[in-house]
Amino acid sequence: MLDKEKVGKRIAYFRKEKGITQKELADLLHISYQAVSKWELGKSLPTVEMLYEISNLLNVAVDVLLNEDEWENRSITYQDAGLDTKKLYTLKGELQKLNSADGAILSAKYADVCLFQMDTAHMEEPVYSCITCVPGSKEKLAKEYRYNQEICMDAAANAINYTLQHGIKPVILRANTVCGNFSQEQLYLMAQAFRRVCDRNQVSFAGMEISAQPVNFNSHEYAVSATVIGVQDKERLLTGSLLEEGDILIGIKTEGINGTNYPFVKIMMDKKPELYHAKMEDDKTFLDELMKANSAYTREITALQEKGYLHKAFRIHNTLLNVKSWQGMPEGLGVCIDLSSLPVLPLFQFLFLQDMIGENVFPSHFNMGIGMAVAVPREHWEDAMRVIGEFSECWRIGQVEKNDSHKGETAWSVGRIQWRAGLDKG
């Protein structure tokens, strides 16, 4: 004997879950809403034919409406939340094959801690570092225009360079992606991008964990981060104590723009929407150049350290004139940047041509293509340039000076940027 009250409660439950009213259900069934009300109050039962129509409309099996056991065993699955766990864990298994097999990583399974070893036997007093970096506001544009691999490489480069500026060798990189039901093919390519940066910088890749959260992220959304662990003997840390007046500053090239520069470009693109599809010289697209991944400099810094040329490394935080770029500068010293020596890369030439930022303040908004600067002894700067040149393009961009004429300042400039001849803004 069917319990009318229980059947009615089940109809009401699934109707509300579907987000429709009694009247809407009645209209779909071509009956009066009073009939639906009577069912849900347990005063009457639908006919067998009507039950099948109700089950179709509410997307629920007839047995669940009528059978007590079916009702008590109903559940909510990850599939209901839009997550295919079988496909997800298959992907995670494939991603684990990208992990470095160099002996440093003992275990880097998904949903677990990463176990690894670092060789410190040659160090008298090892110092360890850890940093997690995210791409910043540049990430939104990357997602919108599918520069997914580039933004992963950006996060990895940032984490590595933060480590290198202290003279610490980056050893392990672990990536993380939080997303909705994002393309599994793209997720695999993103993990490969992290691995490429690691290989280029002699860093062990401990995998990319995926946290799939379709209830919090849309299918096209994600957020990436990169965590880098490093180690160095305390006596080899770059604290700034080696810096002295006359040291030469060498700037090392990076591609694209830093995430901290992006808000200025975003305002420019909002004012000139045509920039999203603009072409630069040599038929390069502006977006392609803008979204190029920034560089990491393990090979350059390591080579300089081995030569004994490196007095300090500076990750360019925002611009060459930003005080945060020159952390570790001893009291009484500062850096003098020769603007006339800076490269005029096509990306920055193009941005300047938009005539939205004045020439005098332009160097305070962009890094001009310098991702890291190093201070080396004056007597070795030319050889240091050759060492860096084995891996990256570089320029002599200034020197360390006493700040007697610039009290309280860490960075100042001389000269003017040498924009190319015939430049016509407007």
Side-chain angles (χ1 to χ4, degrees):
M1 186 76 176
L2 291 175
D3 188 317
K4 291 186 289 187
E5 186 175 341
K6 288 183 178 180
V7 173
K9 285 182 177 180
R10 292 166 198 164
I11 293 173
Y13 173 85
F14 288 111
R15 174 184 60 75
K16 292 173 183 176
E17 191 176 61
K18 200 73 174 175
I20 60 178
T21 65
Q22 286 184 344
K23 186 176 186 310
E24 287 170 335
L25 179 58
D27 289 343
L28 291 168
L29 294 169
H30 306 292
I31 59 175
S32 69
Y33 80 89
Q34 289 91 342
V36 175
S37 177
K38 286 182 179 180
W39 298 339
E40 295 186 358
L41 290 172
K43 294 181 178 180
S44 65
L45 283 169
T47 64
V48 173
E49 293 79 8
M50 193 65 72
L51 276 170
Y52 278 101
E53 289 191 54
I54 294 169
S55 70
N56 287 331
L57 289 170
L58 300 183
N59 195 27
V60 60
V62 173
D63 281 350
V64 175
L65 294 175
L66 301 180
N67 188 292
E68 185 70 18
D69 288 340
E70 290 288 340
W71 171 258
E72 293 301 333
N73 288 311
R74 72 194 187 283
S75 67
I76 296 174
T77 67
Y78 283 112
Q79 197 78 39
D80 295 324
L83 180 62
D84 189 331
T85 53
K86 184 177 180 180
K87 286 180 65 177
L88 176 64
Y89 287 113
T90 298
L91 173 63
K92 289 189 175 189
E94 289 299 309
L95 292 186
Q96 282 192 190
K97 297 176 184 177
L98 295 175
N99 293 359
S100 298
D102 52 16
I105 299 171
L106 304 180
S107 177
K109 297 178 180 178
Y110 57 81
D112 198 2
V113 297
C114 175
L115 305 179
F116 58 90
Q117 293 178 317
M118 292 192 288
D119 180 14
T120 59
H122 60 290
M123 300 181 187
E124 292 186 8
E125 196 174 354
V127 174
Y128 304 90
S129 69
C130 176
I131 187 167
T132 298
C133 284
V134 298
S137 52
K138 190 176 174 183
E139 187 176 41
K140 183 178 180 182
L141 191 67
K143 287 181 283 192
E144 187 175 352
Y145 286 90
R146 300 294 288 271
Y147 292 93
N148 306 316
Q149 297 175 68
E150 289 82 356
I151 209 66
C152 292
M153 296 169 75
D154 249 20
N158 285 339
I160 289 172
N161 290 339
Y162 267 113
T163 304
L164 289 170
Q165 71 178 347
H166 298 285
I168 293 176
K169 176 176 172 52
V171 178
I172 302 283
L173 185 147
R174 174 87 160 172
N176 187 71
T177 302
V178 185
C179 60
N181 276 319
F182 194 62
S183 162
Q184 299 215 343
E185 292 77 13
Q186 284 297 314
L187 287 169
Y188 189 84
L189 291 172
M190 289 160 72
Q192 283 187 320
F194 279 117
R195 174 65 191 262
R196 284 199 300 274
V197 176
C198 288
D199 288 347
R200 195 177 301 130
N201 288 273
Q202 299 88 50
V203 174
S204 296
F205 181 49
M208 184 181 83
E209 175 63 290
I210 300 173
S211 176
Q213 300 180 13
V215 295
N216 294 324
F217 288 78
N218 293 328
S219 60
H220 65 283
E221 291 181 331
Y222 62 80
V224 298
S225 65
T227 298
V228 167
I229 306 291
V231 66
Q232 185 58 278
D233 206 343
K234 187 175 181 180
E235 66 176 14
R236 298 194 66 190
L237 294 180
L238 298 176
T239 62
S241 61
L242 297 176
L243 285 167
E244 55 187 28
E245 183 184 7
D247 280 352
I248 300 300
L249 296 173
I250 300 173
I252 311 176
K253 181 182 178 181
T254 190
E255 301 284 0
I257 63 165
N258 190 281
T260 55
N261 298 144
Y262 172 73
F264 304 124
V265 179
K266 180 65 168 62
I267 292 172
M268 295 172 73
M269 292 192 294
D270 287 345
K271 290 182 177 180
K272 283 189 176 181
E274 61 269 24
L275 291 179
Y276 284 93
H277 307 287
K279 292 283 185 73
M280 294 170 46
E281 58 187 35
D282 299 327
D283 214 33
K284 295 177 180 177
T285 69
F286 171 57
L287 272 185
D288 281 348
E289 292 300 300
L290 182 69
M291 296 304 294
K292 279 185 176 178
N294 280 282
S295 305
Y297 306 103
T298 301
R299 296 172 300 178
E300 294 85 342
I301 298 303
T302 300
L304 289 174
Q305 284 180 308
E306 289 175 352
K307 283 277 192 177
Y309 292 164
L310 189 59
H311 281 182
K312 188 75 175 75
F314 302 96
R315 176 190 172 275
I316 304 305
H317 173 78
N318 181 287
T319 76
L320 290 164
L321 301 179
N322 188 323
V323 64
K324 291 182 180 178
S325 296
W326 307 102
Q327 294 179 9
M329 187 64 58
E331 187 175 350
L333 294 178
V335 296
C336 178
I337 305 299
D338 181 2
L339 297 180
S340 68
S341 70
L342 299 183
V344 182
L345 303 178
L347 174 62
F348 299 97
Q349 177 91 0
F350 181 83
L351 287 169
F352 182 66
L353 280 170
Q354 304 314 307
D355 202 19
M356 295 187 198
I357 300 174
E359 183 176 0
N360 292 337
V361 297
F362 197 91
S364 299
H365 283 67
F366 300 102
N367 62 19
M368 299 302 295
I370 306 294
M372 181 167 277
V374 294
V376 301
R378 176 175 288 275
E379 62 270 24
H380 296 303
W381 77 268
E382 290 176 312
D383 194 29
M385 290 272 289
R386 284 191 286 271
V387 170
I388 297 169
E390 292 291 321
F391 311 103
S392 296
E393 197 170 353
C394 61
W395 302 269
R396 175 176 171 168
I397 61 171
Q399 63 184 14
V400 176
E401 297 180 357
K402 289 184 178 179
N403 62 2
D404 296 342
S405 301
H406 302 272
K407 290 294 184 183
E409 295 184 53
T410 303
W412 57 91
S413 65
V414 295
R416 297 179 65 177
I417 295 175
Q418 299 300 299
W419 302 107
R420 274 171 284 178
L423 183 66
D424 181 21
K425 291 170 66 178

